Amino acid sequence: MRLTLKSLLAASATAMAAAMVAPAAMAEPPETDYEPPRMPDGTPNMQGIWTNASLTTLEKPDGMAVVVPEKQALIMAGMVEASAEADNQPTDPDAPALEAGGDGVGGYNRFWMDFGTSLAKVRGEYRSTWIVDPADGKLPYTETGRKLAEDRLAEQRENFDHPEVRAAAERCTVGFGSTGGPPMLNVLYNNNYQIVQAPDKVAILVEMNHQTRMIRLNEEHRPDVMDQWLGDSVGYWDGDTLVVETTNFEPDISLRAATRHRLYMSPDAKVTEHFTRISGDEIFYEFWVEDPEIFTQTWKGEMILRKSEGPIYEYACHEANYSLPGILAGARREEQEAASAGGSK
């Protein structure tokens, strides 16, 4: 049987079910004596390329612990390595032809995937989820929020009336699953970011979908009518921590769906992020999401951004986006066939 990330998590869940360890109260970055390099203005230098690629996901997978014992985390990493090695083997030239009309070719071969090789280690613990509040590692949707998320997901799966109804990531305007954020979440591939600093701005280049989030320092938010794809971000330095507050999100990215998670946020959500460099190759990244209509409480996540060699490559998406016209043309063809069938009765 071919191993997938989902099957790996499921296989590990049974062994980990007895190890349900709740994370301790977490309100401050990890204590460290690390002295970060400094920019000319004295602020910590966070410039460089960073990644959040990891087997850890936004929400805790069912049956797993929030905090995973080291032994089980290493077993998972070994299973992923074995699966990758098997999937990277050459195709059997004597294999029979695929069934006509089937989906045997799949979406991608393993070469293109870069979802990480192990669970993330945060505060010295292997984590199955980025969420630390609520303690169960699940998104605390209100009934209204869950229904909005489900309705928008159903629309993206079933509605092909025009380009704007399709997912923003499918239209190549933003990346899948909140990879650009905020909050910045890991997806199936292209989990890299480049940070560039200036005295009045911090820029975060997102590998998917080649967007740059401009964080204006010590400024006010723009008017509410000025929605932006990645929201309106303003920040300031609190000691050695960069604090960023973002709101005014473009409504088209309310549902941030990916292979590994789905997150729904309203355009009026407020996301607060803390970036603290804790070592030569790590940034401690915290985020809080406040959205009273969608969630029963403000929820919090913790993540480690790790130094990456890079470089960041161009993310060409659909290569001039010929896929979107094909999707819409296919829907028009189905409508024509349905109309013809109905007219012949």
Side-chain angles (χ1 to χ4, degrees), residues 138-156:
K138 296 290 188 178
L139 291 168
Y141 282 116
T142 62
E143 291 185 10
T144 297
R146 191 173 298 279
K147 186 176 188 306
L148 287 170
E150 292 172 350
D151 288 350
R152 181 63 180 124
L153 180 63
E155 183 178 43
Q156 288 186 3

Side-chain angles (χ1 to χ4, degrees), residues 316-327:
C317 200
H318 289 322
E319 298 282 7
N321 208 4
Y322 59 78
S323 290
L324 192 58
I327 290 168

Side-chain angles (χ1 to χ4, degrees), residues 6 72 83 114 125 151-152 165 186 189-190 200 222:
K6 183 175 181 180
Q72 300 301 333
S83 174
D114 185 24
E125 302 169 331
D151 288 350
R152 181 63 180 124
V165 79
N186 52 320
Y189 42 67
N190 294 102
D200 61 340
R222 296 187 174 101

Side-chain angles (χ1 to χ4, degrees), residues 1-5 8 76-92 109-113 115-117:
M1 180 182 72
R2 180 178 178 180
L3 292 174
T4 64
L5 181 59
L8 289 170
M76 283 187 63
M79 294 170 66
V80 169
E81 182 179 4
S83 174
E85 185 177 348
D87 286 346
N88 284 329
Q89 294 301 310
T91 302
D92 182 2
N109 60 37
R110 188 58 174 263
F111 173 82
W112 301 105
M113 299 182 186
F115 49 73
T117 58

Side-chain angles (χ1 to χ4, degrees), residues 247-313:
T247 188
N248 296 348
F249 294 99
E250 166 60 43
D252 276 4
I253 66 163
S254 290
L255 179 64
R256 306 176 184 197
T259 303
R260 306 174 66 192
H261 65 258
R262 288 194 295 271
L263 169 63
Y264 188 92
M265 291 167 40
S266 77
D268 298 323
K270 182 174 75 173
V271 181
T272 303
E273 302 164 285
H274 288 185
F275 297 80
T276 308
R277 189 161 184 178
I278 59 173
S279 73
D281 57 4
E282 290 183 322
I283 291 175
F284 185 66
Y285 174 57
E286 301 171 275
F287 54 89
W288 292 259
V289 177
E290 181 180 347
D291 200 350
E293 181 184 9
I294 306 302
F295 301 109
T296 61
Q297 67 169 83
T298 298
W299 56 274
K300 179 189 178 184
E302 294 182 342
M303 179 185 291
I304 294 293
L305 304 178
R306 306 184 315 280
K307 194 78 171 177
S308 178
E309 291 185 7
I312 286 184
Y313 292 97

